[in-house]
Amino acid sequence: MLLRNTAFNLVGLGGPLLVAAATIPALLAALGTERFGFLALMWALVSYFGLFDLGLGRAVTHQLASRYADPKTDSGVGEVLGTALVLMTGIGVVTGALMALGGDRALHYLGRLPDSAEAARAIYWMALAMPAIVATSGLRGALEARQAFGIVNAIRVPMGLFTYLGPMLVVWWVGPRLDWIA
């Protein structure tokens, strides 16, 4: 089981990395350095805030795995997951609100962008997504507690691929628009 789960995780993390290596040069050429730099910051924020759950995602994994391992403590799974999701969604709402409120000020420090209104709209879209981004770590933790790494990576691979292919599709269909990419 360890080898199978390791293989799932290698594919889940490695597949999108290969697509990133192929698409990033094309995205850089299509978006230009300023827009691509902003996109890279958006990717970093999503990654960072996906981890900014105050450790609750890992705590969910630990608590639920302990409950699943011991039949005497199998109860309370819903309460653990429900409480964690409420807390993580709240963290995401606060984070998104702070991001939306501070977005214009942050743009001032980023330097020149071809269209600051477009970048501001991208920030607002990212702020709107923050509750789901943060809560996702709790849901992933629940699946990992069940050792459902196949399901985790069946979600991770398309999402990881879309992280890089999505912006390419937007560039081809709409043009180099950060708000549409966000």
Side-chain angles (χ1 to χ4, degrees):
M1 178 150 14
L2 179 63
L3 286 176
R4 183 188 68 167
N5 290 341
T6 302
F8 281 143
N9 286 331
L10 285 174
V11 169
L13 296 171
L17 184 62
L18 295 174
V19 171
T23 57
I24 285 177
L27 280 170
L28 181 57
L31 294 174
T33 55
E34 290 88 4
R35 278 190 172 102
F36 182 80
F38 188 83
L39 176 60
L41 285 174
M42 286 194 314
W43 284 336
L45 281 173
V46 167
S47 296
Y48 178 74
F49 285 120
L51 300 173
F52 187 64
D53 63 354
L54 303 177
L56 289 171
R58 293 292 137 214
V60 166
T61 304
H62 180 311
Q63 287 297 312
L64 295 185
S66 297
R67 291 173 195 279
Y68 293 142
D70 185 3
K72 296 176 190 169
T73 60
D74 195 20
S75 64
V77 169
E79 290 84 3
V80 169
L81 184 57
T83 301
L85 288 177
V86 167
L87 288 170
M88 285 188 260
T89 302
I91 291 168
V93 167
V94 169
T95 303
L98 291 173
M99 187 181 218
L101 292 172
D104 288 333
R105 177 173 250 169
L107 285 176
H108 173 73
Y109 293 106
L110 289 179
R112 59 186 178 143
L113 285 168
D115 186 348
S116 60
E118 172 189 317
R121 286 189 302 272
I123 290 172
Y124 294 136
W125 281 114
M126 294 306 299
L128 188 62
M130 278 301 125
I133 290 168
V134 176
T136 297
S137 69
L139 296 171
R140 184 180 59 243
L143 288 170
E144 289 173 351
R146 278 279 194 199
Q147 295 195 21
F149 293 101
I151 295 170
V152 169
N153 287 292
I155 297 166
R156 180 182 283 157
V157 169
M159 293 303 295
L161 296 176
F162 191 71
T163 298
Y164 303 104
L165 294 175
M168 284 304 306
L169 292 173
V170 169
V171 166
W172 289 332
W173 287 335
V174 180
R177 296 281 308 267
L178 293 170
D179 49 354
W180 281 73
I181 290 171

PDB file of all heavy atoms in Angstrom, residues 117-131:
ATOM      1  N   ALA A 117      -6.103  48.105 -13.585  1.00  0.00           N
ATOM      2  CA  ALA A 117      -7.504  47.736 -13.317  1.00  0.00           C
ATOM      3  C   ALA A 117      -7.709  46.232 -13.553  1.00  0.00           C
ATOM      4  O   ALA A 117      -8.426  45.571 -12.789  1.00  0.00           O
ATOM      5  CB  ALA A 117      -8.445  48.548 -14.195  1.00  0.00           C
ATOM      6  N   GLU A 118      -7.071  45.710 -14.579  1.00  0.00           N
ATOM      7  CA  GLU A 118      -7.128  44.270 -14.857  1.00  0.00           C
ATOM      8  C   GLU A 118      -6.506  43.482 -13.701  1.00  0.00           C
ATOM      9  O   GLU A 118      -7.059  42.473 -13.256  1.00  0.00           O
ATOM     10  CB  GLU A 118      -6.372  44.004 -16.156  1.00  0.00           C
ATOM     11  CG  GLU A 118      -6.155  42.575 -16.517  1.00  0.00           C
ATOM     12  CD  GLU A 118      -5.201  42.456 -17.705  1.00  0.00           C
ATOM     13  OE1 GLU A 118      -5.335  43.230 -18.667  1.00  0.00           O
ATOM     14  OE2 GLU A 118      -4.321  41.583 -17.649  1.00  0.00           O
ATOM     15  N   ALA A 119      -5.376  43.952 -13.201  1.00  0.00           N
ATOM     16  CA  ALA A 119      -4.708  43.284 -12.077  1.00  0.00           C
ATOM     17  C   ALA A 119      -5.567  43.379 -10.814  1.00  0.00           C
ATOM     18  O   ALA A 119      -5.648  42.417 -10.044  1.00  0.00           O
ATOM     19  CB  ALA A 119      -3.335  43.891 -11.842  1.00  0.00           C
ATOM     20  N   ALA A 120      -6.214  44.511 -10.600  1.00  0.00           N
ATOM     21  CA  ALA A 120      -7.089  44.664  -9.431  1.00  0.00           C
ATOM     22  C   ALA A 120      -8.253  43.676  -9.504  1.00  0.00           C
ATOM     23  O   ALA A 120      -8.615  43.050  -8.498  1.00  0.00           O
ATOM     24  CB  ALA A 120      -7.605  46.094  -9.336  1.00  0.00           C
ATOM     25  N   ARG A 121      -8.833  43.522 -10.684  1.00  0.00           N
ATOM     26  CA  ARG A 121      -9.924  42.547 -10.839  1.00  0.00           C
ATOM     27  C   ARG A 121      -9.416  41.131 -10.575  1.00  0.00           C
ATOM     28  O   ARG A 121     -10.119  40.310  -9.975  1.00  0.00           O
ATOM     29  CB  ARG A 121     -10.546  42.657 -12.231  1.00  0.00           C
ATOM     30  CG  ARG A 121     -11.414  43.895 -12.412  1.00  0.00           C
ATOM     31  CD  ARG A 121     -12.180  43.869 -13.723  1.00  0.00           C
ATOM     32  NE  ARG A 121     -11.343  43.764 -14.896  1.00  0.00           N
ATOM     33  CZ  ARG A 121     -10.803  44.797 -15.558  1.00  0.00           C
ATOM     34  NH1 ARG A 121     -11.032  46.027 -15.134  1.00  0.00           N
ATOM     35  NH2 ARG A 121     -10.068  44.599 -16.635  1.00  0.00           N
ATOM     36  N   ALA A 122      -8.200  40.839 -11.003  1.00  0.00           N
ATOM     37  CA  ALA A 122      -7.616  39.519 -10.738  1.00  0.00           C
ATOM     38  C   ALA A 122      -7.476  39.294  -9.235  1.00  0.00           C
ATOM     39  O   ALA A 122      -7.758  38.199  -8.736  1.00  0.00           O
ATOM     40  CB  ALA A 122      -6.263  39.393 -11.430  1.00  0.00           C
ATOM     41  N   ILE A 123      -7.056  40.326  -8.522  1.00  0.00           N
ATOM     42  CA  ILE A 123      -6.934  40.205  -7.058  1.00  0.00           C
ATOM     43  C   ILE A 123      -8.297  39.935  -6.436  1.00  0.00           C
ATOM     44  O   ILE A 123      -8.429  39.093  -5.549  1.00  0.00           O
ATOM     45  CB  ILE A 123      -6.283  41.472  -6.460  1.00  0.00           C
ATOM     46  CG1 ILE A 123      -4.807  41.523  -6.857  1.00  0.00           C
ATOM     47  CG2 ILE A 123      -6.437  41.494  -4.939  1.00  0.00           C
ATOM     48  CD1 ILE A 123      -4.110  42.822  -6.475  1.00  0.00           C
ATOM     49  N   TYR A 124      -9.330  40.628  -6.900  1.00  0.00           N
ATOM     50  CA  TYR A 124     -10.667  40.410  -6.339  1.00  0.00           C
ATOM     51  C   TYR A 124     -11.159  38.989  -6.610  1.00  0.00           C
ATOM     52  O   TYR A 124     -11.785  38.377  -5.748  1.00  0.00           O
ATOM     53  CB  TYR A 124     -11.658  41.447  -6.879  1.00  0.00           C
ATOM     54  CG  TYR A 124     -11.348  42.848  -6.429  1.00  0.00           C
ATOM     55  CD1 TYR A 124     -11.390  43.920  -7.313  1.00  0.00           C
ATOM     56  CD2 TYR A 124     -10.978  43.124  -5.112  1.00  0.00           C
ATOM     57  CE1 TYR A 124     -11.100  45.204  -6.902  1.00  0.00           C
ATOM     58  CE2 TYR A 124     -10.676  44.410  -4.703  1.00  0.00           C
ATOM     59  CZ  TYR A 124     -10.741  45.441  -5.598  1.00  0.00           C
ATOM     60  OH  TYR A 124     -10.445  46.708  -5.188  1.00  0.00           O
ATOM     61  N   TRP A 125     -10.875  38.457  -7.802  1.00  0.00           N
ATOM     62  CA  TRP A 125     -11.269  37.081  -8.092  1.00  0.00           C
ATOM     63  C   TRP A 125     -10.528  36.110  -7.182  1.00  0.00           C
ATOM     64  O   TRP A 125     -11.112  35.142  -6.683  1.00  0.00           O
ATOM     65  CB  TRP A 125     -11.007  36.729  -9.562  1.00  0.00           C
ATOM     66  CG  TRP A 125     -12.058  37.248 -10.487  1.00  0.00           C
ATOM     67  CD1 TRP A 125     -11.915  38.207 -11.448  1.00  0.00           C
ATOM     68  CD2 TRP A 125     -13.434  36.852 -10.536  1.00  0.00           C
ATOM     69  NE1 TRP A 125     -13.113  38.424 -12.084  1.00  0.00           N
ATOM     70  CE2 TRP A 125     -14.065  37.602 -11.550  1.00  0.00           C
ATOM     71  CE3 TRP A 125     -14.198  35.930  -9.834  1.00  0.00           C
ATOM     72  CZ2 TRP A 125     -15.414  37.456 -11.867  1.00  0.00           C
ATOM     73  CZ3 TRP A 125     -15.539  35.784 -10.144  1.00  0.00           C
ATOM     74  CH2 TRP A 125     -16.132  36.550 -11.142  1.00  0.00           C
ATOM     75  N   MET A 126      -9.245  36.354  -6.964  1.00  0.00           N
ATOM     76  CA  MET A 126      -8.469  35.487  -6.082  1.00  0.00           C
ATOM     77  C   MET A 126      -8.982  35.593  -4.639  1.00  0.00           C
ATOM     78  O   MET A 126      -9.058  34.598  -3.928  1.00  0.00           O
ATOM     79  CB  MET A 126      -6.985  35.837  -6.144  1.00  0.00           C
ATOM     80  CG  MET A 126      -6.345  35.566  -7.493  1.00  0.00           C
ATOM     81  SD  MET A 126      -6.600  33.873  -8.084  1.00  0.00           S
ATOM     82  CE  MET A 126      -5.807  32.952  -6.810  1.00  0.00           C
ATOM     83  N   ALA A 127      -9.330  36.798  -4.223  1.00  0.00           N
ATOM     84  CA  ALA A 127      -9.867  36.987  -2.878  1.00  0.00           C
ATOM     85  C   ALA A 127     -11.168  36.216  -2.700  1.00  0.00           C
ATOM     86  O   ALA A 127     -11.410  35.600  -1.653  1.00  0.00           O
ATOM     87  CB  ALA A 127     -10.090  38.474  -2.609  1.00  0.00           C
ATOM     88  N   LEU A 128     -11.987  36.220  -3.724  1.00  0.00           N
ATOM     89  CA  LEU A 128     -13.254  35.489  -3.684  1.00  0.00           C
ATOM     90  C   LEU A 128     -13.030  33.983  -3.562  1.00  0.00           C
ATOM     91  O   LEU A 128     -13.809  33.274  -2.925  1.00  0.00           O
ATOM     92  CB  LEU A 128     -14.068  35.807  -4.940  1.00  0.00           C
ATOM     93  CG  LEU A 128     -15.482  35.303  -5.009  1.00  0.00           C
ATOM     94  CD1 LEU A 128     -16.337  35.902  -3.899  1.00  0.00           C
ATOM     95  CD2 LEU A 128     -16.087  35.624  -6.367  1.00  0.00           C
ATOM     96  N   ALA A 129     -11.941  33.495  -4.137  1.00  0.00           N
ATOM     97  CA  ALA A 129     -11.644  32.060  -4.113  1.00  0.00           C
ATOM     98  C   ALA A 129     -10.977  31.595  -2.817  1.00  0.00           C
ATOM     99  O   ALA A 129     -10.919  30.390  -2.552  1.00  0.00           O
ATOM    100  CB  ALA A 129     -10.741  31.705  -5.294  1.00  0.00           C
ATOM    101  N   MET A 130     -10.479  32.511  -1.996  1.00  0.00           N
ATOM    102  CA  MET A 130      -9.705  32.135  -0.809  1.00  0.00           C
ATOM    103  C   MET A 130     -10.428  31.178   0.143  1.00  0.00           C
ATOM    104  O   MET A 130      -9.811  30.233   0.633  1.00  0.00           O
ATOM    105  CB  MET A 130      -9.239  33.370  -0.041  1.00  0.00           C
ATOM    106  CG  MET A 130      -7.997  34.012  -0.591  1.00  0.00           C
ATOM    107  SD  MET A 130      -6.593  32.900  -0.604  1.00  0.00           S
ATOM    108  CE  MET A 130      -6.151  33.018  -2.303  1.00  0.00           C
ATOM    109  N   PRO A 131     -11.710  31.375   0.453  1.00  0.00           N
ATOM    110  CA  PRO A 131     -12.352  30.412   1.365  1.00  0.00           C
ATOM    111  C   PRO A 131     -12.289  28.974   0.835  1.00  0.00           C
ATOM    112  O   PRO A 131     -11.992  28.047   1.595  1.00  0.00           O
ATOM    113  CB  PRO A 131     -13.801  30.910   1.457  1.00  0.00           C
ATOM    114  CG  PRO A 131     -13.707  32.372   1.161  1.00  0.00           C
ATOM    115  CD  PRO A 131     -12.603  32.505   0.146  1.00  0.00           C
TER     116      PRO A 131
END
